[in-house]
Amino acid sequence: MANSTKDLILNYLSDLTETFDFTQVNAFTASAMSDEMHISRSLASQYLNELVKEKVVMKINSRPVYFLHRKKMEELYKTTFQDDDFYDLEEVKQYVMNHSFGEGNYSKIIGSDKSLAIVIKQLRESFEYPPCGLPVILNGEKGTGKRTLCTTIYENAARIGTIHADTKLIKLEFSPTNSQTLLTKVFGKNNQPGLIDSTNHLVFMICNAQYMSHEFQEQLCLLLEMDKNKSSSKSKYKNKNIRYMLLCDIHPHLCMSERLLKNIPLILDVPKLQDKSKEEKEELIIHFIQNEGLKMKKTIKISSAVLRALVNGDYENNLLGLQSTIQLMCASALRESAGKKEVIIHTYDLPEHLLQTMPIVTDENVIYIDTTTYKKSEEIDFIFDYFDRIIKPLHKYEGLETALNESKHNFDLLSDYLSYKQRIPPERIKGTEISLSNILDVVLKKRYINLPSGFCCTLAKLIYISELYSSSIQNYHLEHRSMIDEIILNIKSELMYESMIVEDITRLVNANLEMQMTDILFIIMVVYLHHYNAQVARRNIFGMIVCHGYSTATSIADAVNSLLENYVFEAVDMPLDVTVDEIKEVLVERLNRMNHNADVIVMVDMGSLEQLGNSLSTAINCSVGVINNVSTRLALNVGNCILNDKDIQTTLAKVSESSKAAYTIIDRQKNDTILFTSESGIHMAQRMRELFESSLPGQIPIDLEVCDYNQLVASGPHHELFESNNVLFITGTANPHIEGQVFIALEDIISGNNIDLMTSHLSKHLAPKQLNQLLDDLRKDFTLQNVVGYLTILNPKVLLDSVTLAIDDLQDHLNKRFGGKTLIGIYIHVCCLIERLVTKTAITEYVDLEGFERDNKAFIACVHEAFKNLSIRYNITIPTSEIAYLHEFIAADEQRFEDGELVSKLK
């Protein structure tokens, strides 16, 4: 009898411990178990202590004493408990936090290792962040599983003890009409307590957060801001620990106040059903069908055609829509299976919209899948079998060429399988295939090598499969990591030329398609390149061109390689401020990727780099020749020698004889030039030039140049542009006041003033008809909104409306009215000012800024007051330095314009 009761107690404790979470612990006492088992407390205590001595039960020596099933605790927390006794539950909790290897019970969430892996990781980190988590918004369409994610995060945190034992989860379900009710329910009213007063440890899960009223958002902001300043807060909530998870069906920026968003540091996007992989959709479908089978207490079978249709279908409300569709299908199939133990779902049970979009196949027999014994799709296993057959010959091979041929043969078999067995709709890979074709065309033409035309199609299919089964592909790489790494190391050593080319292809695929090429695809491409380009000669000399500048070396190398129709020279473009040692590091890295047995000729643009020769030959163990003063002609001579298998000494001697320079002197002629400048920087001047250029009637022999405003002011008439160009006039947003030069303000062009002055300077290059056309185009292109739209990255209409209101307010505060041209100039100046502040490029320096602040306090106050709404809209603060330049601009315009009274004294 005693042994039987003892076993019952152990079994009961085992079941009880499966749901242990540090919060509901009263059931783990001897007293509670005695009541449950209907035995005396002393007998229950006796048996429990015997089980502790047998090391099958753990004892927590708190008041009251708790007992936990050891094996269940170890399974639950993925750790081994070395001790039998613990001082209290807090000690157990600390032990779990320090020793548990488990990531939490997320395996029940389908996609936890796939599309939801990053979301779960970040959500967990934010929830568990000490002392009371970080507020987070989950943004995703209705039915994407946001509630399940948040509930699971809370339950796992409670289970491992990272939140207080008394923590209470409060779910708030908002609707378009109940925000006021929930406000009262949460915060109370008229001295009536709310939910927030119920405990000091809370988790708010706010569902449908897009329906929160402004008043509720403001109350929530007060709580969030109180959490940030608890030490100085006098609020009655200062001692509360509150965690926040907001679930939103639309993007939070569309429904939440800026103040609230500033207090929530993390926004997570939950993926839609249609963005999940095929294998993840299959798991979800089978899971929902299994649930329906449990409700019916029947076995459900589903035809392969139905499964394919469900995987490819689109559903309103994502998982909710999928689940509803499956329930309707099961109900339809149940009627046909009345009185039978199993239910079979056929294609005629599908909704009409899924029947219409169901993929059609011609060579597949319909099979019926038992969902109770379902295993994930085996299609990817066939691909993995081919992967094994491709990479294994390259691992610990006896002859490289034999191994490469065998791998290539197995890849051809994989290509046939993808063409005739694995059905991938052409429209799914068409875009990728075209992009890959363009990328390969660029790389392969540059190096004068070839690949079969069908290779792009096969590669596109493999990339598509890699995305479709991303989790399985990743696991395959992890399982074969050691072998794959060894193979890649070997082929990079033995097939360096092919490896270099594939690295270029991989880089371009990543940059243009934002796809990471897997290591298996890297190996396949190297094998294919080698097979179809084995005739490419392994030269005894490699050429390299090294020049300072953005693309100088690349331009010379491309030109020479094109003329020679061979990839002879590798190019290295170096910034102007690098040292010789830094150049050496780059060259060593490049040369180590080439044939170790070949010599190298390095052509450089500066004689100071000649010292590279000795250090390079030591680092890469080969002969290195260095030729300075590289030019296209010189490189062409060197390339011819390399292709004709000249040795390095003969090559260097021959090209040095033909490298003598000749010269001629041509008198300089100054080109007519229009100069564009702006106090907002070069980028603003460039936009002005583009707008003006678009108005010109065709090509005319006039240079349109931009110049830095500060350089113009500093250099004055001695600026190099005036020495090398005949400047017709300067135009821009601010007058640099260059002696002897004509300045036409941008607002003059807009208002039509000084147009005669402009056309007189252009008349020698434009016929009267063309001048009239220019004037028409200027009137059309240089409207105020057009100019603002061209000069700033901001929405021109919204910006101009806001600036107009601000300038109107400024005139009211100054009790002055600006003239028409003055207003246009100020509008442009302030629009540019706003862009500078938004893009964090404000003008921060001003001569005698302290004096300006002292003498113009009233003007500064007027600007701040008038621009208040503008500052709020664009989240900016106008510095005094920018206000000083605005004051200077207005004062300058006061002297310049005569069509209206300006402020006579802006102090």
Side-chain angles (χ1 to χ4, degrees):
M1 178 66 183
N3 287 337
S4 176
T5 303
K6 182 177 175 180
D7 290 340
L8 288 173
I9 290 175
L10 182 61
N11 291 335
Y12 174 74
L13 187 59
S14 173
D15 293 340
L16 200 60
T17 308
E18 282 187 349
T19 58
F20 177 78
D21 65 0
F22 287 99
T23 57
Q24 305 298 326
V25 294
N26 292 334
F28 294 90
T29 64
S31 176
M33 280 183 269
S34 69
D35 293 341
E36 183 68 27
M37 307 296 295
H38 303 291
I39 59 176
S40 68
R41 184 185 180 285
S42 60
L43 186 59
S45 181
Q46 175 189 331
Y47 288 147
L48 287 166
N49 280 295
E50 288 177 8
L51 291 168
V52 171
K53 289 179 181 179
E54 294 169 13
K55 295 187 179 298
V56 293
V57 169
M58 296 160 47
K59 184 177 182 179
I60 291 85
N61 294 303
S62 55
R63 291 293 179 268
V65 175
Y66 300 110
F67 297 91
L68 300 168
H69 193 283
R70 174 189 288 277
K71 186 177 180 181
K72 290 297 181 183
M73 286 290 287
E74 290 179 342
E75 291 175 355
L76 198 58
Y77 294 108
K78 304 292 189 297
T79 187
T80 301
F81 287 92
Q82 303 294 339
D83 300 326
D84 302 317
D85 291 353
F86 288 88
Y87 179 73
D88 56 15
L89 283 171
E90 194 61 38
E91 187 180 0
V92 180
K93 184 186 295 185
Q94 196 61 43
Y95 186 91
V96 167
M97 294 178 68
N98 293 336
H99 297 86
S100 175
F101 293 100
E103 285 297 312
N105 187 23
Y106 303 106
S107 58
K108 294 180 181 178
I109 300 178
I110 296 172
S112 60
D113 59 340
K114 301 179 182 71
S115 67
L116 296 175
I118 297 300
V119 176
I120 290 174
K121 177 179 180 294
Q122 292 182 312
L123 183 57
R124 178 187 175 187
E125 289 170 349
S126 65
F127 188 83
E128 297 178 3
Y129 192 84
C132 54
L134 297 174
V136 61
I137 296 173
L138 262 71
N139 169 47
E141 292 183 0
K142 185 176 182 180
T144 48
K146 300 187 290 295
R147 286 173 177 79
T148 301
L149 282 173
C150 291
T151 303
T152 306
I153 290 291
Y154 164 76
E155 290 174 348
N156 276 289
R159 183 178 61 80
I160 64 175
T162 54
I163 58 177
H164 195 276
D166 296 330
T167 300
K168 182 178 180 181
L169 175 64
I170 296 178
K171 293 185 181 180
L172 302 175
E173 293 281 351
F174 277 84
S175 72
T177 59
N178 72 345
S179 192
Q180 187 61 41
T181 302
L182 289 179
L183 179 68
T184 304
K185 182 178 179 181
V186 173
F187 297 101
K189 188 176 182 181
N190 298 328
N191 296 323
Q192 291 295 319
L195 289 173
I196 197 170
D197 301 301
S198 61
T199 179
N200 284 334
H201 301 278
L202 293 162
V203 176
F204 277 126
M205 193 169 99
I206 302 176
C207 307
N208 295 318
Q210 68 271 17
Y211 296 129
M212 287 188 300
S213 65
H214 178 74
E215 189 177 357
F216 193 96
Q217 292 188 38
E218 288 299 301
Q219 287 291 335
L220 198 56
C221 286
L222 292 175
L223 282 179
L224 291 165
E225 290 161 1
M226 175 205 69
D227 286 344
K228 293 180 181 178
N229 304 287
K230 281 189 175 180
S231 58
S232 59
S233 174
K234 296 181 181 179
S235 168
K236 63 177 181 178
Y237 303 131
K238 65 177 295 185
N239 295 321
K240 291 188 178 294
N241 287 322
I242 306 175
R243 288 174 163 82
Y244 307 86
M245 295 186 288
L246 284 70
L247 286 57
C248 198
D249 294 348
I250 62 176
H251 199 283
H253 284 95
L254 300 175
C255 58
M256 295 184 191
S257 67
E258 188 175 343
R259 180 184 177 188
L260 179 58
L261 291 172
K262 283 181 178 179
N263 283 290
I264 301 178
L266 183 62
I267 299 176
L268 297 177
D269 294 319
V270 182
K272 298 181 290 187
L273 176 61
Q274 67 186 47
D275 293 334
K276 296 179 184 290
S277 65
K278 176 185 176 184
E279 54 184 336
E280 193 172 337
K281 290 179 184 177
E282 275 193 16
E283 286 184 64
L284 286 164
I285 291 164
I286 297 299
H287 171 72
F288 287 143
I289 294 175
Q290 287 172 343
N291 286 345
E292 297 306 313
L294 291 174
K295 294 177 187 176
M296 299 176 184
K297 296 182 180 180
K298 290 180 180 287
T299 297
I300 299 181
K301 290 184 178 180
I302 179 173
S303 79
S304 55
V306 171
L307 180 59
R308 186 171 67 251
L310 289 171
V311 167
N312 287 279
D314 289 327
Y315 306 92
E316 187 177 353
N317 294 334
N318 296 281
L319 300 180
L320 294 176
L322 173 61
Q323 188 174 23
S324 298
T325 299
I326 288 171
Q327 287 173 337
L328 292 173
M329 290 170 55
C330 289
S332 173
L334 183 61
R335 288 197 306 271
E336 300 290 329
S337 308
K340 300 178 181 178
K341 290 184 178 180
E342 65 178 26
V343 174
I344 300 177
I345 302 176
H346 299 279
T347 51
Y348 52 74
D349 294 311
L350 287 166
E352 187 67 26
H353 75 278
L354 289 183
L355 276 172
Q356 292 175 358
T357 59
M358 186 172 67
I360 303 300
V361 297
T362 58
D363 58 349
E364 178 182 272
N365 295 323
V366 175
I367 60 173
Y368 293 94
I369 303 163
D370 186 340
T371 57
T372 58
T373 59
Y374 166 81
K375 291 183 179 180
K376 288 191 295 186
S377 172
E378 295 181 354
E379 288 181 351
I380 190 62
D381 293 330
F382 287 104
I383 304 295
F384 290 155
D385 181 59
Y386 283 110
F387 283 175
D388 288 341
R389 292 157 66 181
I390 289 169
I391 65 175
K392 282 182 178 177
L394 299 171
H395 187 239
K396 297 181 179 178
Y397 54 83
E398 291 185 3
L400 177 61
E401 288 299 326
T402 302
L404 289 168
N405 287 335
E406 186 177 349
S407 293
K408 193 268 177 185
H409 172 70
N410 289 326
F411 176 73
D412 288 340
L413 294 177
L414 171 59
S415 184
D416 290 342
Y417 171 78
L418 293 174
S419 297
Y420 303 113
K421 298 289 185 181
Q422 180 90 354
R423 289 160 298 278
I424 298 176
E427 62 271 13
R428 297 288 176 88
I429 63 167
K430 185 177 180 181
T432 303
E433 184 181 353
I434 292 172
S435 298
L436 282 173
S437 178
N438 293 334
I439 289 170
L440 289 176
D441 193 50
V442 169
V443 176
L444 301 184
K445 276 188 176 180
K446 175 183 175 183
R447 294 178 179 269
Y448 299 93
I449 55 180
N450 300 290
L451 276 176
S453 57
F455 181 72
C456 275
C457 181
T458 303
L459 192 58
K461 290 176 182 177
L462 288 173
I463 289 175
Y464 174 76
I465 289 170
S466 296
E467 292 181 338
L468 202 61
Y469 299 98
S470 56
S471 179
S472 299
I473 294 284
Q474 185 178 5
N475 289 334
Y476 179 87
H477 279 80
L478 289 174
E479 290 171 9
H480 297 78
R481 187 74 273 160
S482 178
M483 181 192 296
I484 291 172
D485 286 346
E486 188 175 335
I487 291 171
I488 289 178
L489 187 65
N490 288 337
I491 64 177
K492 282 187 174 181
S493 175
E494 299 290 338
L495 306 172
M496 284 173 290
Y497 185 70
E498 293 87 344
S499 298
M500 286 168 52
I501 298 171
V502 174
E503 284 175 0
D504 281 350
I505 294 171
T506 300
R507 178 178 53 80
L508 289 176
V509 168
N510 184 28
N512 292 278
L513 299 180
E514 296 185 8
M515 297 176 180
Q516 293 292 339
M517 298 288 278
T518 64
D519 289 339
I520 294 292
L521 295 185
F522 181 93
I523 293 170
I524 287 171
M525 284 194 286
V526 170
V527 170
Y528 238 59
L529 271 173
H530 175 78
H531 180 83
Y532 286 98
N533 296 278
Q535 75 281 5
V536 176
R538 294 293 184 264
R539 304 189 186 97
N540 295 322
I541 301 176
F542 275 97
M544 183 168 286
I545 298 175
V546 184
C547 295
H548 293 84
Y550 175 67
S551 61
T552 310
T554 299
S555 299
I556 296 174
D558 285 349
V560 173
N561 290 340
S562 297
L563 291 169
L564 296 175
E565 295 187 350
N566 274 282
Y567 194 79
V568 180
F569 286 105
E570 180 89 359
V572 180
D573 297 304
M574 301 299 297
L576 295 172
D577 56 351
V578 297
T579 65
V580 173
D581 287 337
E582 290 172 319
I583 295 176
K584 174 193 165 184
E585 289 180 13
V586 174
L587 293 182
V588 168
E589 187 274 329
R590 293 283 188 96
L591 293 172
N592 276 331
R593 293 158 56 194
M594 298 180 179
N595 190 343
H596 286 272
N597 298 319
D599 295 331
V600 179
I601 293 179
V602 182
M603 306 190 71
V604 300
D605 60 346
M606 295 186 186
S608 61
L609 300 181
E610 287 179 350
Q611 58 186 288
L612 281 171
N614 292 332
S615 56
L616 284 176
S617 63
T618 303
I620 61 176
N621 193 27
C622 68
S623 298
V624 178
V626 179
I627 301 176
N628 64 9
N629 301 324
V630 63
S631 65
T632 304
R633 179 177 178 179
L634 194 61
L636 191 59
N637 289 339
V638 172
N640 270 313
C641 290
I642 291 174
L643 291 178
N644 291 324
D645 291 329
K646 304 287 186 185
D647 59 70
I648 192 168
Q649 290 85 2
T650 303
T651 299
L652 294 176
K654 182 177 180 181
V655 298
S656 64
E657 292 177 4
S658 59
S659 61
K660 294 179 181 178
Y663 69 89
T664 57
I665 298 176
I666 301 172
D667 292 333
R668 183 176 63 185
Q669 293 182 341
K670 290 187 176 183
N671 293 336
D672 284 348
T673 302
I674 300 173
L675 200 57
F676 298 84
T677 188
S678 173
E679 78 281 11
S680 291
I682 288 290
H683 70 286
M684 192 73 73
Q686 289 171 336
R687 294 173 193 167
M688 291 166 51
R689 179 185 63 185
E690 291 168 5
L691 182 58
F692 189 87
E693 188 174 20
S694 67
S695 301
L696 288 173
Q699 294 291 328
I700 58 173
I702 296 177
D703 294 338
L704 306 180
E705 298 284 350
V706 298
C707 185
D708 183 81
Y709 178 81
N710 293 325
Q711 287 184 3
L712 270 182
V713 173
S715 302
H718 303 295
H719 193 283
E720 61 182 2
L721 276 170
F722 300 121
E723 297 177 1
S724 56
N725 297 273
N726 177 37
V727 177
L728 300 178
F729 58 85
I730 304 170
T731 184
T733 57
N735 190 348
H737 299 288
I738 306 299
E739 184 181 351
Q741 295 294 333
V742 175
F743 177 76
I744 300 175
L746 185 57
E747 53 266 33
D748 280 340
I749 301 177
I750 295 172
S751 64
N753 290 320
N754 287 335
I755 290 296
D756 292 342
L757 183 60
M758 181 192 301
T759 55
S760 66
H761 284 91
L762 298 174
S763 58
K764 69 175 182 178
H765 297 292
L766 295 172
K769 186 176 180 180
Q770 289 177 308
L771 278 174
N772 290 331
Q773 181 65 46
L774 172 62
L775 292 177
D776 288 342
D777 290 341
L778 286 175
R779 292 187 191 99
K780 188 166 52 180
D781 294 341
F782 277 75
T783 63
L784 183 56
Q785 185 166 319
N786 254 10
V787 170
V788 171
Y790 231 89
L791 296 189
T792 72
I793 61 174
L794 306 174
N795 184 309
K797 186 178 186 311
V798 175
L799 178 60
L800 262 179
D801 289 344
S802 301
V803 169
T804 301
L805 292 174
I807 298 303
D808 287 345
D809 287 346
L810 180 61
Q811 292 180 97
D812 290 340
H813 283 90
L814 295 174
N815 196 24
K816 296 289 181 182
R817 293 288 128 190
F818 304 143
K821 288 178 292 181
T822 303
L823 274 176
I824 293 173
I826 294 174
Y827 288 154
I828 294 171
H829 181 88
V830 174
C831 288
C832 295
L833 182 156
I834 299 302
E835 189 201 36
R836 288 198 297 272
L837 295 179
V838 169
T839 56
K840 312 298 184 187
T841 56
I843 299 172
T844 57
E845 296 182 359
Y846 184 80
V847 178
D848 192 17
L849 186 60
E850 291 182 0
F852 173 79
E853 290 178 334
R854 184 181 60 252
D855 298 336
N856 296 276
K857 292 180 180 179
F859 181 76
I860 294 170
C862 288
V863 171
H864 280 306
E865 183 61 27
F867 286 25
K868 181 170 61 178
N869 291 333
L870 202 58
S871 300
I872 293 172
R873 172 181 286 276
Y874 291 100
N875 194 23
I876 57 175
T877 301
I878 302 177
T880 307
S881 53
E882 287 281 12
I883 295 175
Y885 277 104
L886 177 60
H887 178 276
E888 187 177 286
F889 180 86
I890 294 174
D893 280 351
E894 178 184 18
Q895 299 173 3
R896 184 168 161 221
F897 292 126
E898 299 174 358
D899 65 339
E901 184 186 4
L902 287 168
V903 285
S904 58
K905 190 175 184 183
L906 302 171
K907 296 183 181 179

